[in-house]
Amino acid sequence: MTQPPRSSAPPTAGSGLPARPIVPAQPGALPRPAVPAQVTRPAPVQPPARRTAFDEGAERLRAAATTEPGRLRVIGAVLALLVVAFGAVAAWQSGERAAAADDVLHGSQPLSSGAASIYRSLADANTTVSSGFLAGGQETPETRDRYEKDISRAAAGLVTAAAKSEPDSPAAKSIAKLNRLLPEYKGLVERARVYNRQGYPVGGAYLRYANEKMQQDMLPAAEDLYTKENQRLAADYGDATPYPWAAIALGVLALGALAWAQRREYRRTNRVLSHGLVAATAAATVVLLWLVVGHTVARAELHASDEHGIRSLNVLHSAQIAALKARGNENLGLVARGAETVTVDGTVYDAYYHAFDQELAELGGSLKRAGSLADDPTGARPVTAATRNMAEWKKRHADAHREDDSGDYQQALAMVIGAKGTTGECFDGVDENLNRAIGHEQAEFERAAGDGRDAMTGLPAGAAALGVLGAAGAVLGIGRRLSEYR
């Protein structure tokens, strides 16, 4: 059997091999859908992150710092900023301290002195009215006039204090209380005078009631006002005396930066001086020296005004108040005639004479402290004279008290409010000498506090102006060097 060779072509349709049967289309069969080719989409392109102005500026600064002109621009900007900041902080801190020093001189100290004057006026009015009461129907016009002037001074002082105090402050509350009590006190005094002139003993009761209102309500309120004003004065001293350390630190930093910039320029260019940088250094040096010297002088003078003025004034005010209260108790001891007593350690004393002894002891202690604080003969002499007057007063009072205890009321009265050789003369001597000492210490305070305030005169404006000039000099000095690169 003959077989076809392997390399022959495949059989065709007309060859002897059977053909694949054709399958006819089946009814009802759906054609298979063609599977579409899967399309691959490109990934979305993310936009570049937007850069902030700060980032761009930082990059430019870094790029500029790699070149000498760029570094010079940075140095110039830093120097100008330091000098301007130094001038601004120096002006701010020195301005605050100058304002506080001015408040010490023209604000809080006059208010403190005014509060002490209110206290003295009230105490003197109480003392004066008791002296007039002892004179009975023969009250002198001088005594009446002195009482009216004391009341008027106290009322005027309250008006001034109210105008310069905060509406809801503790001082304002004390002022309101005194304004309410003052008319009540005057009414009681007038009733006591009317009954006393008519010879009715009830006048003494009204006077003791008025004195009780003064001692227990009015004088404590006046003392509280004085304490509050002294606290304000101490706060002003605290604001005026500290060194401006922030400004001094900035001044030293600015001078150090200017010195470094000039040394850098000398090492790179062999130039000894840059006029602009030298001018900036001179301006910063002047401000720093002015700041340090001015505040040193101001601190010294303000401390002197406190030590040799305010402290002495406080002690002298205490002494004068003690003298006034002692005189009032001495008078009321004769008015009451033993009607008021107090028991101390089981021993019964006349209430007013016992209070007199306590106030006179307080007066002696205050005069001793005032003498130790007096730093010159002009201030020491009136204190010494007041001490002598107090010693004589104590001796005469003991004599008058002895006469009163023995039943000789008229003799005791003559020794207290008589024409000559009385305790009233000693009290007047104490009061007059204390007024002289207070006037001297007030003048010492005003001189020292004024010198302290004047030491900072012009410093805020001068520091600001020199700071601006120094910054301009630094910019011009660096700009001169930059011009060589153009």
Side-chain angles (χ1 to χ4, degrees):
M1 184 174 181
T2 306
Q3 294 188 5
R6 291 182 179 180
S7 60
S8 62
T12 62
S15 63
L17 294 175
R20 173 182 289 185
I22 299 172
V23 179
Q26 300 295 322
L30 295 178
R32 179 178 293 176
V35 179
Q38 193 170 10
V39 180
T40 302
R41 295 183 180 181
V45 179
Q46 296 292 336
R50 187 170 182 179
R51 302 172 63 195
T52 64
F54 177 80
D55 293 334
E56 292 180 0
E59 183 175 348
R60 290 177 185 175
L61 187 62
R62 284 193 298 268
T66 60
T67 64
E68 182 62 16
R71 284 191 286 269
L72 287 174
R73 290 189 182 93
V74 173
I75 292 172
V78 171
L79 290 177
L81 182 62
L82 279 176
V83 176
V84 167
F86 169 46
V89 174
W92 166 54
Q93 290 195 311
S94 59
E96 282 192 337
R97 284 153 179 77
D102 190 70
D103 286 341
V104 167
L105 182 60
H106 294 124
S108 51
Q109 197 282 327
L111 285 175
S112 175
S113 181
S117 178
I118 291 172
Y119 195 115
R120 286 198 310 271
S121 297
L122 292 175
D124 189 65
N126 197 51
T127 299
T128 302
V129 75
S130 62
S131 297
F133 192 91
L134 286 175
Q138 290 77 38
E139 181 182 10
T140 63
E142 291 79 8
T143 301
R144 178 79 184 190
D145 184 61
R146 180 172 177 173
Y147 165 79
E148 294 294 342
K149 286 182 177 179
D150 284 333
I151 295 296
S152 297
R153 276 195 297 267
L158 289 173
V159 170
T160 302
K164 295 185 178 181
S165 63
E166 297 295 330
D168 296 329
S169 63
K173 295 179 181 178
S174 299
I175 294 168
K177 183 177 181 179
L178 287 170
N179 279 327
R180 175 175 55 83
L181 292 174
L182 188 59
E184 297 178 10
Y185 172 80
K186 288 181 64 179
L188 291 171
V189 167
E190 292 308 319
R191 287 189 179 185
R193 279 175 165 164
V194 169
Y195 287 125
N196 187 46
R197 282 194 296 267
Q198 294 175 356
Y200 294 147
V202 72
Y206 273 106
L207 184 64
R208 291 195 299 273
Y209 185 31
N211 176 73
E212 182 180 344
K213 183 175 289 291
M214 176 66 73
Q215 298 289 345
Q216 296 183 5
D217 297 328
M218 298 178 69
L219 289 183
E223 185 177 7
D224 184 65
L225 176 62
Y226 177 61
T227 301
K228 295 296 188 299
E229 298 300 347
N230 269 347
Q231 290 173 352
R232 184 192 299 191
L233 176 60
D236 286 338
Y237 267 112
D239 292 338
T241 53
Y243 270 112
W245 291 114
I248 292 173
L250 273 175
V252 172
L253 182 61
L255 285 176
L258 287 166
W260 172 84
Q262 292 174 86
R263 182 174 180 272
R264 179 182 184 276
E265 182 175 348
Y266 170 74
R267 295 184 64 184
R268 288 177 176 266
T269 65
N270 207 27
R271 288 184 176 88
V272 177
L273 295 177
S274 170
H275 294 165
L277 293 178
V278 169
T281 304
T285 302
V286 169
V287 174
L288 185 59
L289 289 176
W290 192 359
L291 191 69
V292 173
V293 173
H295 278 82
T296 300
V297 174
R299 278 170 55 90
E301 293 296 338
L302 288 171
H303 280 306
S305 71
D306 182 32
E307 183 175 354
H308 303 299
I310 296 300
R311 294 183 185 180
S312 294
L313 285 171
N314 289 340
V315 173
L316 290 170
H317 287 152
S318 297
Q320 194 168 47
I321 289 167
L324 288 166
K325 292 171 74 173
R327 179 61 176 171
N329 285 314
E330 183 178 45
N331 291 338
L332 286 168
L334 291 175
V335 172
R337 299 187 183 185
E340 301 286 343
T341 60
V342 61
T343 303
V344 179
D345 296 332
T347 304
V348 179
Y349 298 95
D350 183 284
Y352 295 110
Y353 286 147
H354 179 70
F356 170 85
D357 293 336
Q358 289 181 317
E359 295 299 338
L360 211 64
E362 175 66 23
L363 173 61
S366 296
L367 288 174
K368 185 177 180 179
R369 291 193 299 273
S372 65
L373 290 172
D375 57 342
D376 60 351
T378 306
R381 277 195 294 269
V383 175
T384 303
T387 303
R388 289 196 299 266
N389 293 138
M390 181 201 69
E392 182 64 23
W393 183 8
K394 187 175 183 179
K395 185 173 66 174
R396 293 182 183 182
H397 171 79
D399 294 339
H401 191 191
R402 189 163 43 252
E403 294 293 336
D404 188 26
D405 285 343
S406 64
D408 195 347
Y409 176 79
Q410 291 301 323
Q411 179 62 26
L413 185 64
M415 296 175 69
V416 172
I417 63 169
K420 189 177 180 181
T422 63
T423 60
E425 291 179 352
C426 299
F427 163 73
D428 290 338
V430 170
D431 193 58
E432 181 181 352
N433 282 299
L434 286 176
N435 281 329
R436 188 178 297 115
I438 288 172
H440 172 74
E441 297 300 335
Q442 181 69 30
E444 288 289 301
F445 161 79
E446 292 176 357
R447 180 198 59 76
D451 290 344
R453 182 204 57 184
D454 293 342
M456 291 185 283
T457 299
L459 180 54
L466 288 173
V468 173
L469 290 176
V475 171
L476 291 175
I478 297 297
R480 180 73 175 175
R481 180 77 177 96
L482 275 172
S483 65
E484 299 174 0
Y485 288 87
R486 298 192 180 102

